[in-house]
Amino acid sequence: MGFLGSTKANGMLTTFLSLSGSKSFLMEPIFVRCVSGFLHGVLLLVLFCSWVRGRNNGFGSVTERLKDKRGFGFKSVLFCSLVLSLLNLVLTSLSVFYWYESDWLDEEQLVSLLMFLLPTVSWGVLSLSLHRCSDYEMRKSPLLLRIWLVFYLAVSCYSLVVVDKSQVLLLVCDIVSFSGALLLCYVAFFKKARGGNNSNGVLEEPLLNGDSTVGGGVGSDEATPYSRAGLLSLMTFSWMGPLIEIGNKKPLDLEDVPQLHDSDSVVGLAPKFRTMLESSSDGGGVTTFKLMKALFFSSQWEILVTAFFAFIYTVASYVGPALIDTFVQYLNGRRQYNNEGYVLVITFFLAKLVECLSQRHWFFRLQKVGIRMRSSLVAMIYEKGLTLSCHSKQGRTSGEIINLMTVDAERIGNFSWYMHDPWMVLLQVGLALWILYRNLGLASVAALIATILVMLVNFPFGRMQERFQEKLMEAKDNRMKSTSEILRNMRILKLQGWEMKFLSKIFDLRKSEEGWLKKYVYNSAVISFVFWGAPTLVSVSTFGACILLGIPLESGKILSALATFRILQEPIYNLPDTISMVVQTKVSLDRIASYLCLDNLQPDVVETLPQGGSDIAVEVRNSTLSWDVSSESPTLKDISFKVLPGMKVAVCGTVGSGKSSLLSSILGEVPKVSGSLKVCGTKAYVAQSPWIQSGKIEDNILFGKPMERERYEKVLEACSLSKDLEILSFGDQTVIGERGINLSGGQKQRIQIARALYQDADIYLFDDPFSAVDAHTGSHLFKEVLLGLLSSKSVIYVTHQVEFLPAADLILVMKDGRISQAGKYNDILSSGTDFMELIGAHQEALAVVSSVDASSVSEKPALGGQEDAIGLDGKQESQDVKNDKPDTEETKRQLVQEEEREKGSVALDVYWKYITLAYGGALVPFIVLAQVLFQLLQIGSNYWMAWATPVSKDVEAPVNISTLMIVYVALAVGSSVCILVRATLLVTAGYKTATELFHKMHHCIFRSPMSFFDSTPSGRIMNRASTDQSAVDLDIPYQFGSVAITVIQLIGIIGVMSQVSWLVFLVFIPVVAASIWYQRYYIAAARELSRLVGVCKAPLIQHFAETISGSTTIRSFNQESRFRGDNMRLSDGYSRPKFYSAGAMEWLCFRLDMLSSLTFAFSLVFLISIPTGVIDPSLAGLAVTYGLSLNTLQAWLIWTLCNLENKIISVERILQYASVPSEPPLVIESNRPEQSWPSRGQVDIHDLQVRYAPHMPLVLRGITCTFKGGLRTGIVGRTGSGKSTLIQTLFRIVEPSAGEIKIDGVNILNIGLHDLRLRLSIIPQDPTMFEGTVRSNLDPLEEYTDDQIWEALDKCQLGDEVRKKDLKLDSSVSENGENWSMGQRQLVCLGRVLLKRSKILVLDEATASVDTATDNLIQKTLREHFSDCTVITIAHRISSVIDSDMVLLLSNGIIEEYDSPVKLLENKSSSFSKLVAEYTARSSSSFD
């Protein structure tokens, strides 16, 4: 009866007053209720008056200061009002109930009812008014409101401090009222309105200003949703609400995702981390410990805060188990004081609340720390990549370095989840032992020993796991290295018909990786078995010890112990994961530390003087330099020369003589042994192998400089790029594919030259840039660039074209790493033999065309006034020949599209495919059955212990002690066996599925047409082969297992709780419905955020890969800081969706935790409300024991479901590439050509029409001609005329749209691709070598003997070079053949065709990278060994085609001329005749 109102005051202060004889009415609760009611009546009156006056739609003047809809003020007040209204509503309901109990006679209850009703209504009206006026702008808080709040605070404080505390609900009400009053006063008096009149809300700004590019925008000082969120918003993760809402309305794009604040952006983190690392290194190398120390101190505040939350969570989680025995005794009728049940319920509930809040913020901040660590490491790895010396680079391939960023840095970021586990295990075990000691006395020692034993058992497994992890990473590195190299060179593999051989190489590497993966996952299964069985072992040991020590087993104590074991399960379950993660992280830290210790470029190789600081541009004195400092024979010996400002210096010499190394030494790339190098002014460098960034052509040319239109146009004109840009659909806005895949060799080289010209440097270094362009373009470039725009600059150029030498002020002739001759052209012509050899070779080449009358040269450019005489066609994009190109949106489509991203929910088909891939899904039912049996046996064993032990000492046990333990141990052993079966079957299914997916995707990628590789940056494929495959290997099986396990556990808990009270379903069903609604609401945004993480990773990898391959060029232009900035922008672009994805997850988990805590609280209230004896206290205690983990499991289920959906995207992405359309069959068994085919080598082309895609125009427009067997045919034509397309069609790299090609009467469209490609030979324009040995490069299919290989090497002039090496044919070739010169690589390609001896040989400008003498040798070799073969040559050097039997001149995709050179030369008006005349004139003259 007196629950709410009439209890007399008996507080300490009241007792004191009564002792002094002055008992005061002011101490009575009824007085305070009356004052509070009066105050709320005043508030209601003010609200009513405000409404009557119609101000601001309901509450204008009163709520003006409180309104800030998206800020702390408004939301806090609204939340506070609702809570106070609901709390008073509960108290009103109870007053009605107790008034009814008193037969409506108790007047105090009536007063209480009215005093609670007034606050209920006034706070409710306030909430409604706030909600309705939320869209109005505010001025300032009125005085009336502030006075009212002061009174309200005073009354709340008085009530809390002075009035009787014997009623728990009144105490709770007073605490909430006082907290609310404090908050409202803070908002009204101190909180400043945000954003003035423009306050559109925290989230709007970054959402509207988000950068739409991938990775757009870096960290911002401006407020972000997280940094501007108020206390309540931070606590409840409400700051994520607007983003999740947007995600529900439409699929999220990167521009919808707000920026990161500076504290979380790599822009702010990287410098801090670098400083920490440098200060801890103290001049020594980077060690693993120093790296760890720097990582810790760069985020120490966040790490300490997470440690605090972890501590609070751990303590709160043990409150439940500590109180279970008390709760069981309460239900058994043993009460210690009045309302003990309510105190217990509130304590349970508050502990759950604290546990939930601390866990959510602990997890979120941990992920923040992880993102920071990963960003800092990626920045350091990238920076190191920019400064690595060449020697260090040879030891680490780009694939390995990329792995450091994609796998190792990522893993260290993920380690943040586990960083507190080691000390938390000690705390959790300590708390568990304390609870056990309270309940079971000395038997807790047995629990400690058992726990320690279980942990010790793990150490050998942990060491094995570390070894397996290391080996797995090594195997993965090797595979990724090969994959990277193969993807770069896929075109040559397709042309040679080697792709399946190289696929089998990838499969072999994967097989080695799978071996370690198998050991790793089965070892994980054993660890899983040990630790899932651990709590059972601990409980059996503890209860056994109780029996031995004679400690009585009571159900309350047993249940408390079981609840403790269930919580202790978590650290013990997580311990194997923690140890495994510590091991993996240690391996990753070791790898990164060893990488950061690699040698940088020597900073003192070149002494750089400021512009105008010297009258000499370049000075080299007695310098000896070597790529490998430890080598006995240095690369360059005794080099000395001077270059004055404005001088032109030519460098020439035979293949491998050290020309490129000389330029590299001036750039400071080659380590110096002795001597001095001085450079005065800025440098620009054009590499021999073009380095082009993926992106717009304009961006490649500007290369970080601002646009100056006039200079830009001059540069384009000088580099003959204007015509090319007209041909391209998007002009200079055309997006270049990876490594310039959609440009010809000549176009790439000219863009490189344009980039250098636009920089307006003082010194220009050209490494044979004219070899990749045709004769006319070469001379145009030389005149316009070297003698035109650069006439006043210092230029050092390497060249094989002798005709460019007379214009030089100084010629350096290189031989065997020395300058054998130096001087002007005429001076050195007579002073030595080396230069004479080069000149002689050039004269020999000219002699072939000496019959041509030079006087007939036309003044106008050849080939119908086009700038380019002979150039390679530009493949896909440059095929848009302007004559018949309809300018529609459909035609205007960039080659490289944004990465395809699935939208909406992941299709069920993806899940089904994953589940059924291994053995048709046969193992799945057994995995589920094993887990169900485990759960039943676990519940059974706990139920048995609760039922078979007495509630208290005075009750007799239903079974004897031996039966109790035998049954319990039997059930425990059974459950452990089920766990072993489940763990083994799960990893078996996961391993098999990962293997199947890998093989499917790689087989499909290798069989896809070349157009797929042209339009797909390798970063996207690499991302799937590394990150996504890692997820499939190591994560997804456990995610599936986790979902199944959690569902089964949850069903078990609800089953146990419903046994005690079926009424729990009344709350559980709506709570589950609400949980599902929240999960569906959340998943739309979370799924897209997860996909964005995948999509934003590829550009980061690609940019990194491009930087590593072009680091020399980047350094030469001093562009390191810009590239660092780009890397940071992309890194933040990847971090943003990760950060908000973590926030979204915690937003959901917080709400689910709250709902499940309410379910648990309802169950407890029900249990204390029913009379004693109605329910068995032991079973009720069992329900509470299981209910304690209800909120954790319910949140964990939703979390694992969401995580699974996020992770399954990796499977979706792999399946995406496992369904790429394939090329035609490699072999058609029913239509295989004869073994001797082709015997004559005659090629008949009839009405051949080719287009690159259905939406693109024709490139070859009805070509008909015959290449007779045994004849040499030269193909010439301007850029974009279709020369390369014709060759690609011959190899069926591109399939014809119409027409046919027959070789010796066999239609090549009707036979398998390998039957065709393996019978043809090609020497491509870009010479390609693969990492391996000389033997594997010449004979990858292992078809020839060593003698045949030596014979081929001798024929291609490489035999002596290879014999010099220690390992001969087994000499190593580094990645991309970097340890061989460009010319030597070209000779290796010649060696391949000499081995193959096909009847048809195609030369795609095969001698572009060699000097004239070597070119003549190659031509001689080809004439000698392929005299009876059909040789088709695309050439830039007239001497390469002039002695052909036939010349085919293409223009705009049709044949302009096709006849023998002699006949074409007789006709002086023929385009070919004009071309030859111009070449002869140019070659005979000098450019002085």
Side-chain angles (χ1 to χ4, degrees), residues 1332-1365:
T1333 63
V1334 174
R1335 179 189 279 104
S1336 68
N1337 266 279
L1338 282 162
D1339 180 25
L1341 303 183
E1342 298 167 8
E1343 295 175 328
Y1344 305 100
T1345 64
D1346 281 9
D1347 291 341
Q1348 289 173 306
I1349 294 171
W1350 278 118
E1351 186 187 340
L1353 282 171
D1354 288 331
K1355 286 176 185 172
C1356 67
Q1357 316 298 316
L1358 272 179
D1360 293 340
E1361 186 69 32
V1362 175
R1363 283 188 185 91
K1364 280 184 205 168
K1365 298 183 183 288

Side-chain angles (χ1 to χ4, degrees), residues 232-274:
L232 194 68
S233 180
L234 283 174
M235 281 174 65
T236 60
F237 296 93
S238 301
W239 54 272
M240 275 302 306
L243 183 61
I244 293 171
E245 191 181 340
I246 290 169
N248 262 279
K249 291 176 181 171
K250 71 179 191 75
L252 286 177
D253 291 311
L254 197 64
E255 57 264 32
D256 299 319
V257 182
Q259 298 295 337
L260 294 172
H261 193 258
D262 248 5
S263 60
D264 298 309
S265 162
V266 70
V267 178
L269 294 168
K272 186 179 173 186
F273 178 67
R274 192 184 307 113

Side-chain angles (χ1 to χ4, degrees), residues 594-613:
S594 70
Y595 167 73
L596 294 176
C597 282
L598 292 176
D599 292 335
N600 285 344
L601 285 170
Q602 285 181 12
D604 57 345
V605 172
V606 176
E607 186 186 339
T608 306
L609 305 171
Q611 189 177 356

